[in-house]
Amino acid sequence: MLQDAFDNPGLMIVATGMAVGAAAALIGPFLVLRRNSMLSDAISHSIVFGIVTVWLLTGFASGPVQIAGAALTGVLTVFLTEALARSGRVKDDAAIGLVFPALFSAGVLLLNLYARDVHIDAHAVLLGEIGFVWLNTLEVAGYHVPQSLVWMGTMLAVNAGFVALFWKELKLATFDPVLAHAFGLRPRALFYGLLFLTSCTAVAAFDSVGAILFIAFVIVPPSTAYLLTDRPLTMVLLGVAMSAISSVAGYWLAVLWDVSIGGMMALMTGCFLAAAFLFGPRYGVIAGLRRRARQALENEARALVVHLMTHEKGAERHEENVAEALRTHLGWTRARSKAVLSRSLGLGLVLRKGNALSLTDQGRVEAEALLEPWRRGG
Amino acid sequence: MTIAEFLSDYTLQNVALGAAILGVVSGVLGSFAVLRQQSLVGDALSHAALPGVCLGFMVAGTRDLGAIMAGALLTGGLAALTILALTRLSRLKTDAAIGISLSVFFALGVVLLTVIQGSGGASQAGLETFLFGQAAAILRSDLWVMGGIMVAALAVVLALWKEFKLITFDPTFARTLGLPVTVLEVALTVMVALAVVVGLQMVGVVLMAAMVIAPAVAARQWTRRLEHMVVLSALIGMVSGVTGAVISALRRGLPTGPLIVLAASAIVLVSILFAPGRGVVWDALARARERRSLRGRQVLTTLLQLAREHGDPEYPAEQGMLDAYHRLGTRAVLDRLAARGLVTAAAHMPGEGGHWILTPTGQAEAQRLSAEIDGARG
């Protein structure tokens, strides 16, 4: 029964994709919030060197030895980058851009020199082979389970455990490292632990999505969630959910159009980001434009009540406090006048009788507050 | 193969010339990117060239370098715009915006690559060489295109030298002078995309970022003047380009990109360690020398104090006491002072440690130092 599920290639591909996405999206929020997203780029490139070295030394192409060994290269990259930046000779961003290409190049070169006919070729290094994850299986509790799924599932569990266990500490170290340090929480050690797990996850995900697409799973879903919420817990959960949906949708579209599965999954995370960027209810571009338009209109409604108040006692009020005056005296276009007037009426600031405009009680309060703010509350 | 044959080899000439052009362009344009702390934007632009390569191929229908370069420039520019839009119009920070742009554009490239493979035709095999570069695939006609871009890029840099220099070091001042800063900044970013495009065949999209960053960082170590830095960076780019390309042409199956990047990285390492005045090694040596001289002065004044306390200018101080007082082995320090004729070993009882006495010159020197210290205190 269960074995049928493990023998279903499509199901296994989607499950692996979801595991990659969820494991990466658990860690990603902390990198994005700490403004260290590009470390995931550095790590995922330079683990290639670690993978090849460990494979040449031990013969393990996957499994715990490979994951932990190759992940050390990821941590080494971060360490070298920090050392280079601390030396004061190189800026932070250039330091990242110097270390990982060197390690990545060394990895690719070793691959070309010693592993020409092995399954890890340069192409798979970059793009992964998620379409073939079901080929290599491992026996777990009597079932044949795809190897990639086993290791990705393990990493997912480890990451979830780490984040759950250190949730409070991670939050504090991310938002206020100085305070965390003062509490004796060792934010740097925590951060290095996080980066070690990032590296482990990158190595485990390497077979399925390769070195570069992994970056998309780490950075994009948490960034999307960041555009939608202010709460860290919501951010993590939303990121995980969006990764999972991207995997399913990506697989479906990839099969439909007969294109790269890993690429399509990563591309889907980008589609979610674009949607959140444009249509996000609070931080989206469109919401921002609408908010600004509404505020502009309300400001002009305030200008109108002040105008009405200034002239309501004088003899000129038959000329000033009429609908046409909005165009002739305040200089608004016809459409603008109409919009401001209907907004003011809607807000209950102004009354209209035929052409004549007068203030409601609420409108008078508003105008007084603007003209003579010192009286407010007095 | 003799050296004469080697030098007149047609492919090798092409490769070396192409690598030289690439080195000059990326060295010059990279200088500005690194100084403006835009190194990682270069990384994003180079990865984002992949979908452009595929689009160029799909439109032209063949492996036409002109179309491929135009496509790469287009998607590189779009990636730069995406970064700009994400940072300006949303709450995402630069690092996340760069990572998003890099990974999603690359994912799109991966998908397009499989679209091309799916549509058949043997010629598509050539596209994968754009991932890591393949110097041997360069044709004489390609060199004309690359050379044309080089001349155009250098002409723009020369014509706008003053402006580029100003917005690199002081964009605010440039704005107060009324310079179109945004236009110039966009121009510099587009030029980085140009450098990427030139390197497509040699280094490939994955590692092109390193060619933008490494020569500029190396050059920066040797000089403080922008003029010198740009020229030096071009030279370093050229040397690493030619070195890597020639080595990769010597043996079949050696990827050009990684070799060029490793050559450039080696030059960076040497520069950071040994550049005169700025090198880490000279710094460490100077610090060690300073530490030694400080210890010598400390021991000398201690001996003087002891002599004063005991009312005997030739008081023999015991080695063990000096060690305990300074909390380190002072033997080497005393030997160095003895060599300078400032102290001398005194006769002592067998079984006791060595004893040391200030010589007359040592007394004079110690008195001078102690007066200096009192002067600084007082």
Side-chain angles (χ1 to χ4, degrees), chain A residues 233-269:
Chain A
L233 182 63
T234 323
M235 187 173 162
V236 170
L237 295 178
L238 258 181
V240 171
M242 265 177 306
S243 285
I245 304 173
S246 299
S247 298
V248 179
Y251 175 73
W252 187 72
L253 286 175
V255 171
L256 188 69
W257 292 333
D258 188 22
V259 293
S260 156
I261 297 169
M264 207 60 215
M265 287 176 171
L267 200 55
M268 284 316 293
T269 64

Side-chain angles (χ1 to χ4, degrees), chain B residues 10 14-15 17-18 21 63-69 130 134-150 197-198 200-202:
Chain B
Y10 184 73
N14 278 351
V15 167
L17 199 55
I21 294 175
R63 201 171 177 280
D64 173 51
L65 193 66
I68 283 173
M69 280 183 165
F130 285 108
Q134 195 181 51
I138 270 188
L139 305 172
R140 196 44 71 90
S141 61
D142 299 343
L143 289 180
W144 284 108
V145 182
M146 290 165 67
I149 294 178
M150 177 181 78
V197 160
V198 171
L200 279 180
Q201 271 196 314
M202 298 296 265

Side-chain angles (χ1 to χ4, degrees), chain B residues 113-131:
Chain B
L113 213 53
T114 44
V115 169
I116 293 171
Q117 280 164 348
S119 66
S123 53
Q124 98 278 349
L127 284 190
E128 306 229 325
T129 62
F130 285 108
L131 289 173

Side-chain angles (χ1 to χ4, degrees), chain B residues 130-210:
Chain B
F130 285 108
L131 289 173
F132 287 124
Q134 195 181 51
I138 270 188
L139 305 172
R140 196 44 71 90
S141 61
D142 299 343
L143 289 180
W144 284 108
V145 182
M146 290 165 67
I149 294 178
M150 177 181 78
V151 171
L154 292 185
V156 172
V157 170
L158 274 180
L160 295 175
W161 176 259
K162 230 171 31 202
E163 286 80 359
F164 282 166
K165 191 173 171 180
L166 191 56
I167 65 161
T168 301
F169 291 108
D170 199 342
T172 318
F173 181 51
R175 209 177 285 273
T176 62
L177 287 182
L179 283 180
V181 174
T182 315
V183 175
L184 289 168
E185 279 178 343
V186 169
L188 275 179
T189 309
V190 170
M191 306 259 284
V192 172
L194 263 185
V196 169
V197 160
V198 171
L200 279 180
Q201 271 196 314
M202 298 296 265
V203 179
V205 298
V206 180
L207 285 166
M208 214 16 230

Side-chain angles (χ1 to χ4, degrees), chain A residues 301-302 304-312 321 348-352 356-368 371:
Chain A
R302 289 197 194 99
L304 177 62
V305 292
V306 168
H307 175 81
L308 294 178
M309 173 125 163
T310 321
H311 298 294
E312 74 180 347
N321 291 4
L349 299 173
V350 173
L351 277 178
R352 178 174 188 168
L357 301 177
S358 60
L359 288 171
T360 61
D361 289 343
Q362 198 197 337
R364 193 160 292 114
V365 170
E366 185 80 17
E368 271 169 0
L371 282 174

